[in-house]
Amino acid sequence: MKKKEKNHIGFSNAITKTKLLIALLAMAIISVSCSDDDDNPTVDDNIVDELPAIKDDALKVTVASKTYIYNADYTSTAAALIKRITNIADRIDDTVETIIIHDSNIPTLTDQDYRDVITLVLHGGCVAYCSPTHGNADMFFRNLQRIGEQYELNSIIE
């Protein structure tokens, strides 16, 4: 009987850790989500721009971390970010540090894709979720939770 109680406590702890992981992942993704903020109607026309216009190419700054980019039609901020990436991975492996995913990819993600996202975040990587919509973001986080609950977290975190 004690073994069952111990297993139940271990399972409860795993679920609690998974929910914490999902909450942390949600906060991380929300903080780096790409968005089009051009529809902001509050613009002060009285601001005087005293700085000279920059004539150098702004794309001289690059991102060297190994990044996997899901195939999609990236526009605006995401496209500018992708142009700066110098180390693009052709598949997700242990060396990938960042994943860029577009909202249009969410409906086609497999369970393995979700496992890859969870493993990446647990190892300190980050996910940039571009152009999120409410419905797909909800699907993304619910699937992360579903897959996360299946994980034995101790096998991932080392």
Side-chain angles (χ1 to χ4, degrees):
M1 191 68 161
K2 288 184 180 182
K3 188 173 183 180
K4 277 188 173 180
E5 289 177 14
K6 200 176 212 182
N7 286 341
H8 178 69
I9 291 170
F11 181 71
S12 294
N13 287 339
I15 288 178
T16 302
K17 288 179 184 176
T18 300
K19 287 182 180 178
L20 178 61
L21 167 70
I22 297 301
L24 291 172
L25 180 62
M27 289 188 313
I29 290 175
I30 288 170
S31 67
V32 297
S33 295
C34 300
S35 166
D36 187 8
D37 295 332
D38 292 340
D39 56 343
N40 185 357
T42 58
V43 177
D44 186 1
D45 292 332
N46 297 326
I47 296 175
V48 177
D49 187 9
E50 296 179 14
L51 298 174
I54 299 173
K55 305 232 188 267
D56 291 335
D57 181 8
L59 292 179
K60 287 182 180 178
V61 176
T62 59
V63 178
S65 64
K66 191 167 185 181
T67 305
Y68 180 78
I69 304 168
Y70 280 88
N71 191 22
D73 183 23
Y74 293 97
T75 58
S76 188
T77 308
L81 172 64
I82 291 170
K83 287 179 185 175
R84 296 171 186 252
I85 298 171
T86 59
N87 192 0
I88 297 175
D90 59 352
R91 62 185 167 79
I92 299 174
D93 59 24
D94 292 339
T95 63
V96 171
E97 301 170 82
T98 305
I99 292 175
I100 298 178
I101 188 164
H102 191 274
D103 188 71
S104 64
N105 297 118
I106 302 303
T108 61
L109 292 180
T110 65
D111 286 358
Q112 183 59 48
D113 291 323
Y114 285 105
R115 284 186 202 93
D116 291 340
V117 168
I118 291 169
T119 303
L120 174 79
V121 171
L122 287 174
H123 287 129
C126 64
V127 178
Y129 182 174
C130 301
S131 304
T133 61
H134 179 73
N136 282 346
D138 183 63
M139 179 190 312
F140 183 67
F141 290 118
R142 287 182 189 275
N143 283 329
L144 282 173
Q145 181 177 5
R146 178 181 57 83
I147 297 299
E149 288 172 350
Q150 298 171 3
Y151 259 63
E152 176 61 42
L153 294 180
N154 294 332
S155 67
I156 302 171
I157 305 171
E158 294 176 2

